[in-house]
Amino acid sequence: MGGEILDLSPDIKTVGDLITFQRSRGEVFDEIFQHETIVRIAVDQEHVDDMGFDLSEAKEIAFFPPMTGG
Amino acid sequence: MKITPKVKVCLEDFDLKHEIDQLTASQQNAGAVVSFTGVCRDEDGLLDALELEHYPGMAEAKISEYAQSAIERFELLGLTAIHRFGKIAVGDNIVLLVAVARNRQAAFDGANYVMDFLKTNAPFWKKEHLKDGSKGKWVDAKDADNSALKKWQS
């Protein structure tokens, strides 16, 4: 899995804000994040699907495709 | 006494008999042992191997959560769940579930329940390695796997 360390602007308060920010980062980001129901989100290793989820205490945020284990 | 599952996410292979023996060694009240082994198939001659990626930490945590929930829901006497990662050749093991219970239905259901949740909610991804050497694709999630979850929602 790939990763990057970002200092988020204080304006980014929720998962929805972060996705809006991600979409603004370039064409590829915009393409991926327009599929809101496909991109899975985990905050500190717990699944999150509420766009209003508060990120103020979050340390690690993961975006990933649908899982295909087993 | 609270029963906790044995959960392992690892590179190395597992041994079915060893895992069953370990799980049943101290069980005098177990009447049913169900195991499921997921194996890498060749997709009708196309595949050489699968490469499994996972999200370390979260993968173990999610499997443990579903395993613990199965123990409580089906009153299991023991449960082992092992999921491998890395490159897995056709015919090799990917995943193992062993469920031990008083009666067969609980053991079948417990193993089935953990597999259903693991397939759709534990962070693992499979990439194909094709026999002809060309670059395979990431395996797509299946709708059937998502609908399999619905039977447990009651």
Side-chain angles (χ1 to χ4, degrees), chain B residues 5-25:
Chain B
K6 172 183 169 180
V7 173
K8 213 169 128 186
V9 173
C10 57
L11 263 173
E12 62 275 14
D13 198 8
F14 49 78
D15 179 67
L16 173 61
K17 185 169 186 309
H18 170 78
E19 297 302 332
I20 289 179
D21 288 349
Q22 203 181 52
L23 196 56
T24 53

Side-chain angles (χ1 to χ4, degrees), chain B residues 67-123:
Chain B
Q68 192 66 57
S69 150
I71 286 172
E72 281 149 32
R73 180 165 172 161
F74 303 104
E75 298 181 8
L76 301 180
L77 299 171
L79 185 76
T80 293
I82 303 176
H83 202 304
R84 297 179 65 202
F85 61 86
K87 194 172 174 182
I88 294 176
V90 165
D92 285 358
N93 295 326
I94 299 174
V95 61
L96 175 73
L97 253 291
V98 184
V100 175
R102 255 183 97 91
N103 297 303
R104 74 179 188 285
Q105 199 60 51
F108 273 122
D109 286 349
N112 201 12
Y113 174 95
V114 177
M115 277 309 300
D116 279 350
F117 278 91
L118 182 159
K119 285 203 79 94
T120 47
N121 287 343

Side-chain angles (χ1 to χ4, degrees), chain A residues 1-13:
Chain A
M1 285 177 53
E4 62 182 330
I5 294 172
L6 289 177
D7 286 319
L8 295 181
S9 140
D11 294 341
I12 298 174
K13 295 186 170 66

Side-chain angles (χ1 to χ4, degrees), chain A residues 1 45 47 60 65 68 70, chain B residues 53 55 58 83 121 124 126:
Chain A
M1 285 177 53
Q45 307 199 349
H47 292 295
E60 180 178 302
T68 54
Chain B
E53 269 205 42
Y55 182 1
M58 184 173 174
H83 202 304
N121 287 343
F124 288 88
K126 294 191 185 105

